[in-house]
Every structure is written in C-alpha cells, then in structure tokens.
Amino acid sequence: EPKTDKYEASFEGGWAEADKQWKVSDIVSDIEGSDYSILTLSPTEGIDAWHLPTLNSERKEMCEIPSSIEESATYSISLDGAKSLTPNKEFSIENKAGKVNISIANEEGKVVVKRTISLPKSIYTAEEYADLHALLLAWQSKANREILIAK
C-alpha cells in the first residue's frame, strides 16, 4: 500500500502583516480606489504544491495525482480593527473520491478558516473522475480562499 502524504498547516496573525508573516508578497491586494482589501489565503505544501493545471470536466482514461493525501489548514486572522465582509459558511463534499470540508467563521476581532481534504488514493478511474474533479474544484476555488476586508 502506497504511503499517504499528510500535511497540517496553521497560520495565525494580523491581516495587515500577513505578507510578512506568511511570506507571500501578494496575499493582501487593495481594491483600487476603495476602502476594501482582499486577503488571499496562503498556499499550503500539500495539494497547492502540486501546481495542478486547469482540470477537464470529464475524462476517458484513469487519472493519477502525485499521491494520496490528507491535508488540513487552519487560518486564524486577526482583523486589527478592520471587518471581514465575507459571510460565515460551512460546507462539506463527500463522495467516492474522498472528502472536503471548508468553514469560514467570523469571530470577535478575527476570522477563522478551516480547510481539510482527504483523497485516499492516487489513481482514479474515469468513472471516479467526476467525484475527484468536484473535490479539487472546491479546494482550489477562489471563493474558498479569499476574505473581503473593510479597512
């Protein structure tokens, strides 16, 4: 049985200093001419490091990913007097290919994002591909990686 890669990441800090703490220069981008910024959650060393291309919507052959994986990341972002305009949300997808859980919670003075994905194998049949595709799209979606901040 092949080894499953496991990654856990935890990020904590203020949104205004996120680029310094998380070593990602474009993590906070100001929306020109406004009092808003978009905080893009920093990539992790798991699936993000695979640099997957845009996925086709269907497949006729087997699909291989670099490894089976269990990955979780928690981002705790202090708002330093700013306000998150991103609504709370929580959703899960579980299917034959694995599962994804993503939650965004606005708490007192901070926003907490928890993301987990489990892909228990590295080779998927053409019949399983639609399920794998749904999980990876949810994981990679900008809607699940960006926080709108009012300064």
Side-chain angles (χ1 to χ4, degrees):
E1 171 131 342
K3 177 181 162 269
T4 297
D5 288 341
K6 293 187 180 199
Y7 296 95
E8 288 187 31
S10 181
F11 303 92
E12 195 165 333
W15 74 273
E17 297 295 316
D19 60 333
K20 293 181 181 86
Q21 177 173 340
W22 296 344
K23 309 288 189 271
V24 178
S25 60
D26 62 349
I27 195 163
V28 176
S29 59
D30 288 330
I31 300 172
E32 202 169 313
S34 74
D35 291 330
Y36 303 100
S37 290
I38 295 175
L39 172 66
T40 302
L41 301 177
S42 58
T44 60
E45 294 180 16
I47 291 174
D48 293 335
W50 294 350
H51 303 290
L52 293 173
T54 302
L55 301 170
N56 294 331
S57 56
E58 58 183 60
R59 194 169 176 97
K60 294 185 175 114
E61 298 89 28
M62 296 182 88
C63 175
E64 184 173 8
I65 57 177
S67 68
S68 58
I69 192 165
E70 288 183 24
E71 181 173 352
S72 66
T74 301
Y75 302 81
S76 180
I77 304 147
S78 298
L79 295 174
D80 304 328
K83 179 179 178 170
S84 165
L85 300 179
T86 300
N88 291 340
K89 74 174 171 181
E90 188 166 338
F91 75 92
S92 298
I93 301 173
E94 187 166 356
N95 58 34
K96 293 175 186 168
K99 61 185 171 184
V100 167
N101 296 300
I102 297 175
S103 70
I104 299 173
N106 292 289
E107 299 177 0
E108 193 172 314
K110 66 181 176 178
V111 62
V112 177
V113 181
K114 295 179 181 177
R115 298 165 41 87
T116 62
I117 187 167
S118 175
L119 302 174
K121 56 189 187 173
S122 62
I123 298 176
Y124 291 85
T125 65
E127 293 77 25
E128 296 169 318
Y129 179 76
D131 286 342
L132 175 66
H133 185 256
L135 297 174
L136 290 172
L137 280 180
W139 187 255
Q140 295 174 320
S141 170
K142 284 180 114 180
N144 299 323
R145 291 179 170 268
E146 294 183 338
I147 306 296
L148 181 60
I149 307 283
K151 299 183 237 175

